[in-house]
Amino acid sequence: MSAPERIPPRSVTAADTGADAAAAELLARGELTVRGRIREASNAALFCTIALDGREASCIYKPVAGERPLWDFPGGTLAGREVAAYEVSEATGWGLVPPTVLRDGPYGDGMCQLWIDVQAEAELLALVEAEEPEPGWKAIGLAEVGEGRTALLVHADDERLRRLAVLDAVINNADRKGGHLLPTPDGRLYGIDHGVTFNVDDKLRTLLWGWAGEPLTGEAVDVLGGLRGALDGPLGERLTGLISPAEIDATRARVDALLTTGVHPEPSGEWPAIPWPPV
């Protein structure tokens, strides 16, 4: 028997719809085998392999049964929100979320997402001993670094991050931490961990505030226009059952607001703007 064909995560991109469809089929229909648990995750997150018809890949499986109760999100809904974030990302054409599906697994229904290998040396966040960021960086805010000292927390002035900031504004991401940013060896950037998204209330918490109040790029305006139409059509249909009707309406309203103002959102002041811990 020949060895199974491995699917390199970096080969699955929004630009390669065939590979994307193949990965989604593998995730949905493949045999899921648990290999271990990611202990740092706040909810049950299991590292798995998945195999189908001689193809194999690594993935993350988050069973609904392993979700911790939250006061501001209905129980048992985080997996659906992860898949909804993938669907919205795919509709933008930016491919910012790894292929993600809902499926049955060894511990019941859950989210299954393609594992992404990262470029460990990529620098997207930094702490600097300065009052202003250097060229190529955007300020997030001051952070305590011990012994009464503070440093400036900055993120890269990177178009990939800027696209992700727009996506987060659309899906109302309440937890965009540094550890949820996955740069890959081929130059792509993925965002993961989208369980606390799509709330009807403004809960945007992110490290990507560097463009707050600045005009959206022309590309972003075009993408948002297309996304708004898709929410009234095929995308809205795909989101049905993943998030509530009220949350779909709230997503439309956020897109409308971005198109009306034409700028990146700013912190509301009614909710902590930066997640904790930030990384």
Side-chain angles (χ1 to χ4, degrees):
M1 180 181 295
S2 60
E5 175 192 358
R6 294 288 298 176
I7 295 183
R10 60 182 176 273
S11 72
V12 181
T13 70
D16 187 347
T17 56
D20 189 69
E25 179 190 25
L26 176 60
L27 292 171
R29 297 180 50 229
E31 181 179 357
L32 195 60
T33 303
V34 177
R35 301 299 183 184
R37 180 174 182 176
I38 299 176
R39 297 186 180 277
E40 298 84 5
S42 56
N43 297 291
L46 306 176
F47 179 75
C48 304
T49 54
I50 193 159
L52 177 70
D53 298 334
R55 294 176 293 147
E56 182 178 294
S58 300
C59 62
I60 293 295
Y61 162 55
K62 296 182 182 179
V64 172
E67 295 179 5
R68 294 192 308 170
L70 298 172
W71 68 269
D72 51 350
F73 286 84
T77 68
L78 305 192
R81 297 173 193 280
E82 296 245 31
V83 180
Y86 167 69
E87 292 288 354
V88 173
S89 168
E90 288 298 284
T92 67
W94 287 333
L96 295 169
V97 179
T100 312
V101 303
L102 274 179
R103 59 161 293 162
D104 187 27
Y107 299 100
D109 289 341
M111 178 278 277
C112 190
Q113 184 176 82
L114 192 69
W115 177 266
I116 299 297
D117 291 329
V118 301
Q119 183 183 10
E121 64 271 20
E123 291 189 14
L124 298 175
L125 299 167
L127 281 169
V128 297
E129 298 285 347
E131 295 183 358
E132 297 291 337
E134 295 182 356
W137 294 87
K138 305 289 278 186
I140 304 170
L142 293 174
E144 294 184 6
V145 293
E147 299 180 354
R149 296 171 49 245
T150 60
L152 186 64
L153 182 62
V154 297
H155 66 67
D157 188 0
D158 186 311
E159 69 174 7
R160 301 170 302 170
L161 289 180
R162 191 164 190 173
R163 289 172 174 174
L164 193 58
V166 173
L167 177 67
D168 283 344
V170 170
I171 67 177
N172 197 15
N173 192 351
D175 195 33
R176 175 60 72 207
K177 297 177 179 176
H180 300 166
L181 304 173
L182 304 183
T184 67
D186 65 354
R188 293 185 60 83
L189 176 73
Y190 291 97
I192 61 169
D193 285 351
H194 297 108
V196 286
T197 49
F198 295 101
N199 201 297
V200 296
D201 297 324
D202 180 10
K203 291 187 177 291
L204 185 59
R205 292 197 304 172
T206 176
L207 287 178
L208 305 180
W209 287 116
W211 298 281
E214 293 187 14
L216 296 167
T217 64
E219 177 198 44
V221 171
D222 290 342
V223 165
L224 288 167
L227 189 62
R228 183 61 182 84
L231 283 164
D232 286 336
L235 176 59
E237 295 173 4
R238 292 196 297 274
L239 294 180
T240 300
L242 297 174
I243 57 178
S244 73
E247 289 165 339
I248 296 174
D249 287 342
T251 303
R252 294 189 183 100
R254 287 191 294 272
V255 174
D256 286 340
L258 288 167
L259 288 170
T260 298
T261 64
V263 300
H264 287 268
E266 299 182 81
S268 67
E270 299 177 357
W271 182 259
I274 297 177
W276 188 262
V279 178

